[in-house]
Amino acid sequence: MSRFFNTRLAQLREYIPGEQPKIQDLIKLNTNESPFAPAPGVLAAVEEAAKKLQLYNDPTARNLNAAIAKVCGVKENQVITGNGSDEILAFAFQAFGECGLAFPDITYGFYPVWAALYGMDAKIIPLNDRYEIDVNDYSGNDRTVVIANPNAPTGKALPLSAIETLLRMNPDHIVIVDEAYVDFGAESAIRLLDQYENLLVVRTFSKSRQLAGARLGFAIGQPPLIDDLNRIRNSFHPYNVNTMTQAAGIAAVKDTAYFESCRKAVMENREWTTKELEKLGFSVLPSMANFVFAAAPGISGMEYQQALRKNNIIVRYFDTPRIKAFVRITIGSREQMEKLIEVTKEILK
Ligand SMILES: *Cc1c(COP(=O)(O)O)cnc(C)c1O
Protein backbone atom coordinates (compact mmCIF):
# COMPACT_ATOMS: atom_id res chain seq x y z
CA MET A 1 0.00 0.00 0.00
CA SER A 2 1.38 3.40 -0.92
CA ARG A 3 1.26 6.28 1.52
CA PHE A 4 -1.25 7.96 -0.81
CA PHE A 5 -3.95 5.32 -0.41
CA ASN A 6 -7.29 6.30 1.08
CA THR A 7 -6.92 5.76 4.82
CA ARG A 8 -10.57 4.75 5.25
CA LEU A 9 -9.88 1.80 2.96
CA ALA A 10 -6.59 0.74 4.51
CA GLN A 11 -8.18 -2.38 6.02
CA LEU A 12 -10.19 -3.29 2.92
CA ARG A 13 -10.21 -7.01 2.20
CA GLU A 14 -10.54 -7.54 -1.51
CA TYR A 15 -12.75 -10.12 -3.14
CA ILE A 16 -10.64 -12.97 -4.46
CA PRO A 17 -12.15 -14.47 -7.62
CA GLY A 18 -11.79 -18.17 -8.38
CA GLU A 19 -8.71 -18.77 -10.48
CA GLN A 20 -8.73 -18.95 -14.27
CA PRO A 21 -5.61 -21.01 -14.98
CA LYS A 22 -4.56 -21.74 -18.53
CA ILE A 23 -3.65 -25.38 -18.17
CA GLN A 24 -4.24 -27.84 -20.99
CA ASP A 25 -7.02 -30.40 -20.51
CA LEU A 26 -7.98 -28.86 -17.20
CA ILE A 27 -11.45 -29.78 -15.96
CA LYS A 28 -12.56 -26.46 -14.66
CA LEU A 29 -15.32 -26.79 -12.08
CA ASN A 30 -14.42 -23.86 -9.82
CA THR A 31 -16.31 -20.73 -10.92
CA ASN A 32 -19.78 -21.91 -11.99
CA GLU A 33 -19.45 -21.04 -15.65
CA SER A 34 -21.41 -22.95 -18.24
CA PRO A 35 -19.58 -25.90 -19.82
CA PHE A 36 -21.29 -25.05 -23.12
CA ALA A 37 -20.36 -22.55 -25.85
CA PRO A 38 -22.33 -19.32 -26.30
CA ALA A 39 -25.60 -19.63 -28.27
CA PRO A 40 -24.94 -20.25 -31.99
CA GLY A 41 -25.97 -16.73 -33.05
CA VAL A 42 -23.73 -14.92 -30.60
CA LEU A 43 -20.46 -15.02 -32.53
CA ALA A 44 -21.92 -13.51 -35.73
CA ALA A 45 -23.76 -10.85 -33.72
CA VAL A 46 -20.55 -9.85 -31.96
CA GLU A 47 -18.63 -9.73 -35.23
CA GLU A 48 -21.26 -7.51 -36.82
CA ALA A 49 -21.31 -5.21 -33.77
CA ALA A 50 -17.50 -4.97 -33.77
CA LYS A 51 -17.66 -3.17 -37.12
CA LYS A 52 -18.93 -0.11 -35.23
CA LEU A 53 -16.31 -0.09 -32.50
CA GLN A 54 -15.10 3.39 -33.44
CA LEU A 55 -18.38 4.70 -32.05
CA TYR A 56 -19.53 4.76 -28.46
CA ASN A 57 -22.02 2.10 -27.52
CA ASP A 58 -25.64 2.95 -26.76
CA PRO A 59 -25.47 4.17 -23.14
CA THR A 60 -29.14 3.28 -22.62
CA ALA A 61 -28.62 -0.28 -23.97
CA ARG A 62 -32.14 0.09 -25.29
CA ASN A 63 -32.37 -2.95 -27.57
CA LEU A 64 -30.73 -5.21 -25.04
CA ASN A 65 -32.95 -4.03 -22.21
CA ALA A 66 -36.01 -4.48 -24.42
CA ALA A 67 -34.98 -8.06 -25.26
CA ILE A 68 -34.45 -8.86 -21.58
CA ALA A 69 -37.75 -7.22 -20.60
CA LYS A 70 -39.52 -9.40 -23.14
CA VAL A 71 -38.19 -12.74 -21.88
CA CYS A 72 -38.78 -11.72 -18.27
CA GLY A 73 -42.32 -10.49 -18.93
CA VAL A 74 -41.70 -6.96 -17.61
CA LYS A 75 -41.60 -3.46 -19.10
CA GLU A 76 -38.44 -1.90 -20.51
CA ASN A 77 -38.34 0.72 -17.77
CA GLN A 78 -38.09 -2.09 -15.23
CA VAL A 79 -34.68 -3.27 -16.52
CA ILE A 80 -31.14 -2.01 -16.04
CA THR A 81 -28.08 -3.81 -17.41
CA GLY A 82 -24.56 -3.77 -16.09
CA ASN A 83 -21.00 -4.98 -16.52
CA GLY A 84 -21.82 -8.29 -14.89
CA SER A 85 -24.31 -8.53 -12.07
CA ASP A 86 -21.39 -7.61 -9.82
CA GLU A 87 -21.62 -4.07 -11.12
CA ILE A 88 -25.39 -4.00 -10.70
CA LEU A 89 -25.05 -5.25 -7.12
CA ALA A 90 -22.43 -2.58 -6.42
CA PHE A 91 -24.85 0.07 -7.78
CA ALA A 92 -27.61 -1.34 -5.59
CA PHE A 93 -25.41 -1.21 -2.49
CA GLN A 94 -24.61 2.44 -3.23
CA ALA A 95 -28.21 3.32 -3.98
CA PHE A 96 -29.87 1.46 -1.11
CA GLY A 97 -27.24 0.62 1.49
CA GLU A 98 -27.20 3.82 3.53
CA CYS A 99 -29.27 2.19 6.28
CA GLY A 100 -26.84 -0.72 6.51
CA LEU A 101 -27.18 -4.22 5.14
CA ALA A 102 -28.17 -7.64 6.40
CA PHE A 103 -27.01 -10.85 4.71
CA PRO A 104 -26.10 -14.43 5.68
CA ASP A 105 -22.75 -15.56 7.08
CA ILE A 106 -22.40 -18.07 4.30
CA THR A 107 -23.24 -16.49 0.97
CA TYR A 108 -21.66 -14.70 -1.99
CA GLY A 109 -18.29 -13.42 -0.79
CA PHE A 110 -18.60 -10.07 -2.53
CA TYR A 111 -21.40 -8.71 -0.29
CA PRO A 112 -19.13 -7.93 2.70
CA VAL A 113 -16.52 -6.46 0.34
CA TRP A 114 -18.92 -3.91 -1.16
CA ALA A 115 -20.26 -3.06 2.29
CA ALA A 116 -16.68 -2.33 3.41
CA LEU A 117 -15.80 -0.46 0.20
CA TYR A 118 -18.73 1.89 0.63
CA GLY A 119 -18.33 2.15 4.40
CA MET A 120 -21.66 0.53 5.11
CA ASP A 121 -22.53 -1.34 8.24
CA ALA A 122 -23.25 -5.03 7.67
CA LYS A 123 -25.18 -7.31 9.97
CA ILE A 124 -24.15 -10.91 9.33
CA ILE A 125 -26.93 -13.38 10.04
CA PRO A 126 -25.93 -17.06 10.37
CA LEU A 127 -27.62 -19.70 8.26
CA ASN A 128 -29.43 -22.27 10.40
CA ASP A 129 -27.75 -25.61 11.11
CA ARG A 130 -29.16 -27.09 7.90
CA TYR A 131 -27.33 -24.31 6.01
CA GLU A 132 -30.61 -22.58 5.19
CA ILE A 133 -31.69 -18.95 5.36
CA ASP A 134 -34.38 -18.58 8.01
CA VAL A 135 -36.32 -15.52 6.87
CA ASN A 136 -37.58 -14.87 10.41
CA ASP A 137 -34.04 -13.80 11.29
CA TYR A 138 -34.47 -10.84 8.91
CA SER A 139 -37.41 -9.25 10.67
CA GLY A 140 -36.92 -5.87 12.34
CA ASN A 141 -33.31 -5.43 11.27
CA ASP A 142 -34.05 -2.03 9.80
CA ARG A 143 -31.59 -2.64 6.98
CA THR A 144 -31.42 -3.44 3.31
CA VAL A 145 -31.62 -7.22 2.99
CA VAL A 146 -29.41 -9.04 0.48
CA ILE A 147 -29.86 -12.71 -0.20
CA ALA A 148 -28.81 -14.99 -3.01
CA ASN A 149 -31.59 -17.36 -4.05
CA PRO A 150 -30.51 -20.09 -4.63
CA ASN A 151 -27.79 -19.30 -2.14
CA ALA A 152 -24.11 -19.76 -2.95
CA PRO A 153 -22.12 -21.81 -2.16
CA THR A 154 -24.81 -24.01 -0.57
CA GLY A 155 -27.08 -24.26 -3.62
CA LYS A 156 -30.14 -24.26 -1.37
CA ALA A 157 -33.18 -22.30 -2.54
CA LEU A 158 -36.02 -20.61 -0.69
CA PRO A 159 -39.57 -20.96 -2.00
CA LEU A 160 -41.34 -17.86 -3.28
CA SER A 161 -43.50 -17.83 -0.13
CA ALA A 162 -40.38 -17.22 1.99
CA ILE A 163 -39.26 -14.36 -0.27
CA GLU A 164 -42.71 -12.87 0.08
CA THR A 165 -42.47 -13.12 3.88
CA LEU A 166 -39.14 -11.32 3.69
CA LEU A 167 -40.67 -8.53 1.59
CA ARG A 168 -43.62 -8.15 3.99
CA MET A 169 -41.37 -8.10 7.05
CA ASN A 170 -39.27 -5.28 5.58
CA PRO A 171 -41.76 -2.93 3.90
CA ASP A 172 -39.56 0.12 4.44
CA HIS A 173 -36.37 -1.46 3.14
CA ILE A 174 -35.16 -2.84 -0.14
CA VAL A 175 -34.83 -6.60 -0.40
CA ILE A 176 -32.23 -7.52 -3.01
CA VAL A 177 -32.72 -11.04 -4.33
CA ASP A 178 -29.61 -12.15 -6.22
CA GLU A 179 -30.90 -14.75 -8.66
CA ALA A 180 -27.59 -15.66 -10.30
CA TYR A 181 -28.59 -19.35 -10.20
CA VAL A 182 -32.36 -19.19 -10.50
CA ASP A 183 -32.48 -20.74 -13.97
CA PHE A 184 -31.44 -24.14 -12.60
CA GLY A 185 -34.73 -25.01 -10.95
CA ALA A 186 -35.68 -22.41 -8.33
CA GLU A 187 -38.64 -20.00 -8.41
CA SER A 188 -37.96 -16.43 -9.50
CA ALA A 189 -39.24 -13.52 -7.44
CA ILE A 190 -40.00 -11.61 -10.66
CA ARG A 191 -43.62 -12.73 -10.20
CA LEU A 192 -43.84 -10.63 -7.04
CA LEU A 193 -42.61 -7.42 -8.65
CA ASP A 194 -45.98 -5.78 -9.21
CA GLN A 195 -46.94 -6.21 -5.57
CA TYR A 196 -43.71 -5.15 -3.87
CA GLU A 197 -42.09 -1.78 -4.49
CA ASN A 198 -39.19 -2.85 -2.23
CA LEU A 199 -38.12 -5.84 -4.35
CA LEU A 200 -35.03 -5.76 -6.55
CA VAL A 201 -34.20 -8.92 -8.51
CA VAL A 202 -30.63 -9.25 -9.82
CA ARG A 203 -29.69 -11.69 -12.58
CA THR A 204 -26.69 -12.58 -14.69
CA PHE A 205 -25.78 -13.97 -18.11
CA SER A 206 -22.69 -15.60 -16.59
CA LYS A 207 -24.11 -18.86 -15.24
CA SER A 208 -27.05 -19.96 -17.37
CA ARG A 209 -26.52 -17.98 -20.59
CA GLN A 210 -22.92 -18.84 -21.50
CA LEU A 211 -21.58 -15.28 -21.37
CA ALA A 212 -19.42 -15.03 -18.22
CA GLY A 213 -16.55 -13.44 -20.14
CA ALA A 214 -18.80 -10.88 -21.84
CA ARG A 215 -19.72 -9.43 -18.39
CA LEU A 216 -23.46 -8.94 -18.49
CA GLY A 217 -25.93 -8.75 -15.64
CA PHE A 218 -29.19 -6.98 -15.00
CA ALA A 219 -31.68 -5.97 -12.37
CA ILE A 220 -35.44 -5.88 -12.48
CA GLY A 221 -37.61 -3.80 -10.20
CA GLN A 222 -40.38 -1.24 -10.25
CA PRO A 223 -39.45 1.81 -12.38
CA PRO A 224 -38.49 4.13 -9.47
CA LEU A 225 -35.85 1.65 -8.27
CA ILE A 226 -34.47 1.28 -11.78
CA ASP A 227 -34.33 5.10 -12.06
CA ASP A 228 -32.33 5.20 -8.83
CA LEU A 229 -29.87 2.64 -10.16
CA ASN A 230 -29.53 4.52 -13.43
CA ARG A 231 -28.71 7.63 -11.47
CA ILE A 232 -25.79 5.81 -9.88
CA ARG A 233 -24.79 4.25 -13.20
CA ASN A 234 -24.84 7.58 -15.04
CA SER A 235 -22.78 9.15 -12.26
CA PHE A 236 -20.16 6.45 -12.59
CA HIS A 237 -20.01 5.01 -16.13
CA PRO A 238 -22.90 5.47 -18.58
CA TYR A 239 -21.21 3.24 -21.18
CA ASN A 240 -21.00 0.31 -18.80
CA VAL A 241 -22.19 -2.39 -21.23
CA ASN A 242 -19.99 -2.36 -24.30
CA THR A 243 -21.13 -2.70 -27.93
CA MET A 244 -20.13 -6.33 -28.31
CA THR A 245 -21.67 -7.40 -25.04
CA GLN A 246 -24.94 -5.70 -25.93
CA ALA A 247 -25.01 -7.62 -29.21
CA ALA A 248 -24.03 -10.90 -27.51
CA GLY A 249 -26.72 -10.43 -24.88
CA ILE A 250 -29.47 -9.82 -27.43
CA ALA A 251 -28.47 -12.90 -29.44
CA ALA A 252 -28.23 -15.06 -26.32
CA VAL A 253 -31.51 -13.99 -24.80
CA LYS A 254 -33.42 -14.52 -28.03
CA ASP A 255 -32.28 -18.13 -28.41
CA THR A 256 -34.72 -19.68 -25.95
CA ALA A 257 -34.29 -23.20 -27.33
CA TYR A 258 -30.53 -23.21 -26.76
CA PHE A 259 -30.93 -21.72 -23.29
CA GLU A 260 -33.47 -24.40 -22.38
CA SER A 261 -31.34 -27.26 -23.66
CA CYS A 262 -28.23 -26.04 -21.79
CA ARG A 263 -29.96 -25.55 -18.48
CA LYS A 264 -31.72 -28.91 -18.76
CA ALA A 265 -28.42 -30.65 -19.42
CA VAL A 266 -26.87 -28.97 -16.37
CA MET A 267 -29.79 -29.96 -14.14
CA GLU A 268 -29.63 -33.59 -15.35
CA ASN A 269 -25.88 -33.71 -14.79
CA ARG A 270 -26.39 -32.25 -11.34
CA GLU A 271 -28.82 -35.00 -10.37
CA TRP A 272 -26.48 -37.66 -11.77
CA THR A 273 -23.44 -36.21 -9.98
CA THR A 274 -25.32 -35.91 -6.69
CA LYS A 275 -26.35 -39.59 -6.82
CA GLU A 276 -22.86 -40.76 -7.72
CA LEU A 277 -21.25 -38.71 -4.94
CA GLU A 278 -23.78 -40.01 -2.45
CA LYS A 279 -23.00 -43.58 -3.48
CA LEU A 280 -19.40 -42.82 -2.54
CA GLY A 281 -20.44 -41.65 0.93
CA PHE A 282 -20.44 -37.90 0.29
CA SER A 283 -22.85 -35.61 2.03
CA VAL A 284 -24.34 -33.38 -0.68
CA LEU A 285 -26.65 -30.44 0.03
CA PRO A 286 -29.75 -30.50 -2.20
CA SER A 287 -28.86 -28.00 -4.92
CA MET A 288 -31.02 -25.83 -7.17
CA ALA A 289 -27.93 -24.29 -8.78
CA ASN A 290 -25.32 -25.27 -11.39
CA PHE A 291 -23.03 -26.56 -8.65
CA VAL A 292 -23.18 -28.92 -5.71
CA PHE A 293 -21.79 -28.30 -2.25
CA ALA A 294 -20.40 -31.62 -1.10
CA ALA A 295 -18.42 -33.02 1.83
CA ALA A 296 -16.16 -36.00 1.13
CA PRO A 297 -16.16 -38.96 3.54
CA GLY A 298 -13.08 -39.13 5.79
CA ILE A 299 -11.13 -36.21 4.28
CA SER A 300 -11.44 -32.46 4.66
CA GLY A 301 -12.63 -30.14 1.93
CA MET A 302 -9.12 -28.84 1.47
CA GLU A 303 -7.63 -32.34 1.14
CA TYR A 304 -10.24 -33.35 -1.42
CA GLN A 305 -9.70 -30.14 -3.40
CA GLN A 306 -5.94 -30.65 -3.44
CA ALA A 307 -6.25 -34.29 -4.48
CA LEU A 308 -8.55 -33.33 -7.36
CA ARG A 309 -6.12 -30.64 -8.42
CA LYS A 310 -3.30 -33.15 -8.76
CA ASN A 311 -5.59 -34.85 -11.26
CA ASN A 312 -6.21 -31.66 -13.24
CA ILE A 313 -9.67 -31.01 -11.83
CA ILE A 314 -10.26 -27.74 -10.03
CA VAL A 315 -13.14 -27.06 -7.66
CA ARG A 316 -13.67 -24.29 -5.09
CA TYR A 317 -12.81 -24.63 -1.43
CA PHE A 318 -13.67 -21.93 1.11
CA ASP A 319 -11.48 -21.56 4.13
CA THR A 320 -14.42 -20.52 6.32
CA PRO A 321 -15.05 -22.15 9.74
CA ARG A 322 -18.54 -23.58 9.21
CA ILE A 323 -17.89 -25.08 5.79
CA LYS A 324 -14.41 -26.57 5.92
CA ALA A 325 -15.73 -30.06 5.19
CA PHE A 326 -17.17 -28.97 1.84
CA VAL A 327 -16.07 -28.15 -1.67
CA ARG A 328 -18.21 -26.46 -4.28
CA ILE A 329 -18.24 -28.37 -7.54
CA THR A 330 -19.53 -26.65 -10.67
CA ILE A 331 -21.69 -28.91 -12.81
CA GLY A 332 -19.96 -29.38 -16.13
CA SER A 333 -20.65 -31.62 -19.11
CA ARG A 334 -21.53 -35.27 -18.52
CA GLU A 335 -18.06 -36.29 -19.64
CA GLN A 336 -16.43 -33.93 -17.13
CA MET A 337 -18.62 -35.19 -14.31
CA GLU A 338 -17.84 -38.81 -15.18
CA LYS A 339 -14.16 -37.98 -14.96
CA LEU A 340 -14.71 -36.27 -11.59
CA ILE A 341 -16.38 -39.40 -10.21
CA GLU A 342 -13.69 -41.68 -11.63
CA VAL A 343 -10.91 -39.59 -10.06
CA THR A 344 -12.83 -39.31 -6.79
CA LYS A 345 -13.06 -43.12 -6.54
CA GLU A 346 -9.25 -43.28 -6.85
CA ILE A 347 -8.79 -40.56 -4.22
CA LEU A 348 -11.01 -42.32 -1.70
CA LYS A 349 -9.31 -45.72 -2.16
C1 LIG B 1 -21.51 -15.41 -10.05
C2 LIG B 1 -22.32 -14.61 -9.09
C3 LIG B 1 -22.51 -13.25 -9.28
C4 LIG B 1 -21.73 -12.43 -10.28
O1 LIG B 1 -22.03 -12.68 -11.54
P1 LIG B 1 -21.48 -11.76 -12.72
O2 LIG B 1 -22.71 -11.43 -13.45
O3 LIG B 1 -20.55 -12.63 -13.48
O4 LIG B 1 -20.82 -10.54 -12.15
C5 LIG B 1 -23.36 -12.58 -8.41
N1 LIG B 1 -23.96 -13.22 -7.40
C6 LIG B 1 -23.79 -14.52 -7.18
C7 LIG B 1 -24.48 -15.17 -6.04
C8 LIG B 1 -22.94 -15.25 -8.02
O5 LIG B 1 -22.71 -16.53 -7.77
Side-chain angles (χ1 to χ4, degrees):
M1 188 170 49
S2 81
R3 66 194 166 90
F4 307 104
F5 192 64
N6 189 325
T7 52
R8 187 181 71 73
L9 299 177
Q11 307 301 321
L12 188 65
R13 283 168 129 208
E14 299 156 71
Y15 178 76
I16 304 164
E19 53 178 334
Q20 302 289 344
K22 296 280 166 275
I23 303 170
Q24 266 215 332
D25 302 322
L26 181 74
I27 298 186
K28 191 175 176 303
L29 307 176
N30 69 329
T31 50
N32 299 342
E33 293 133 325
S34 174
F36 307 115
V42 166
L43 219 65
V46 168
E47 196 177 355
E48 190 57 33
K51 291 178 184 164
K52 297 263 176 63
L53 276 179
Q54 75 277 26
L55 303 177
Y56 276 109
N57 49 312
D58 173 9
T60 67
R62 187 140 179 252
N63 294 339
L64 172 61
N65 292 0
I68 291 170
K70 199 166 165 209
V71 295
C72 291
V74 298
K75 299 193 195 74
E76 281 172 47
N77 63 356
Q78 293 186 276
V79 179
I80 176 175
T81 39
N83 197 307
S85 59
D86 283 342
E87 188 185 52
I88 292 288
L89 286 161
F91 291 161
F93 273 54
Q94 288 177 82
F96 309 120
E98 185 185 12
C99 53
L101 300 138
F103 47 79
D105 60 342
I106 296 162
T107 189
Y108 186 36
F110 226 136
Y111 302 153
V113 178
W114 287 312
L117 176 63
Y118 300 126
M120 289 160 183
D121 184 53
K123 178 167 181 184
I124 310 295
I125 300 181
L127 298 181
N128 69 19
D129 51 19
R130 290 184 307 272
Y131 301 101
E132 287 159 0
I133 294 168
D134 183 341
V135 291
N136 295 306
D137 296 339
Y138 291 78
S139 149
N141 278 305
D142 229 20
R143 288 152 187 272
T144 293
V145 175
V146 189
I147 61 158
N149 194 44
N151 196 14
T154 63
K156 284 202 168 186
L158 289 174
L160 215 51
S161 56
I163 303 292
E164 193 158 12
T165 304
L166 206 51
L167 289 160
R168 288 215 178 122
M169 278 172 166
N170 297 278
D172 297 319
H173 290 89
I174 297 290
V175 175
I176 300 172
V177 183
D178 180 349
E179 293 190 340
Y181 300 105
V182 78
D183 292 324
F184 302 104
E187 295 174 284
S188 171
I190 286 180
R191 266 178 37 206
L192 301 173
L193 271 173
D194 287 344
Q195 287 162 268
Y196 295 95
E197 59 172 358
N198 58 333
L199 170 62
L200 187 73
V201 176
V202 178
R203 296 264 195 106
T204 176
F205 279 62
S206 297
K207 315 289 162 60
S208 58
R209 294 192 186 269
Q210 292 78 39
L211 286 182
R215 310 306 301 128
L216 182 58
F218 60 99
I220 299 192
Q222 289 191 11
L225 296 193
I226 299 305
D227 288 349
D228 292 343
L229 292 172
N230 272 315
R231 216 165 144 179
I232 304 286
R233 187 179 72 87
N234 289 324
S235 307
F236 175 72
H237 183 204
Y239 299 107
N240 60 329
V241 181
N242 73 66
T243 298
M244 291 176 292
T245 296
Q246 290 190 27
I250 293 168
V253 89
K254 284 189 173 164
D255 198 337
T256 331
Y258 186 72
F259 164 72
E260 288 296 335
S261 74
C262 290
R263 75 185 188 103
K264 270 204 198 98
V266 168
M267 289 189 284
E268 281 167 18
N269 291 345
R270 177 184 71 206
E271 298 320 304
W272 183 86
T273 306
T274 303
K275 284 209 189 87
E276 291 298 313
L277 288 172
E278 282 174 348
K279 277 191 225 159
L280 297 177
F282 276 73
S283 150
V284 186
L285 299 190
S287 171
M288 284 289 192
N290 67 339
F291 57 82
V292 289
F293 204 45
I299 54 173
S300 72
M302 196 203 276
E303 285 165 334
Y304 179 48
Q305 181 218 27
Q306 284 170 352
L308 286 174
R309 201 185 166 95
K310 284 194 190 120
N311 288 278
N312 246 5
I313 300 177
I314 54 172
V315 299
R316 191 95 190 253
Y317 166 73
F318 300 89
D319 193 8
T320 306
R322 285 185 77 186
I323 52 174
K324 281 182 187 292
F326 291 87
V327 298
R328 191 194 67 191
I329 306 168
T330 301
I331 301 301
S333 66
R334 183 59 176 261
E335 197 189 349
Q336 290 176 318
M337 302 327 282
E338 282 170 2
K339 183 78 190 167
L340 171 93
I341 296 299
E342 190 191 309
V343 166
T344 299
K345 283 179 183 161
E346 285 303 312
I347 291 170
L348 295 180
K349 251 186 198 164

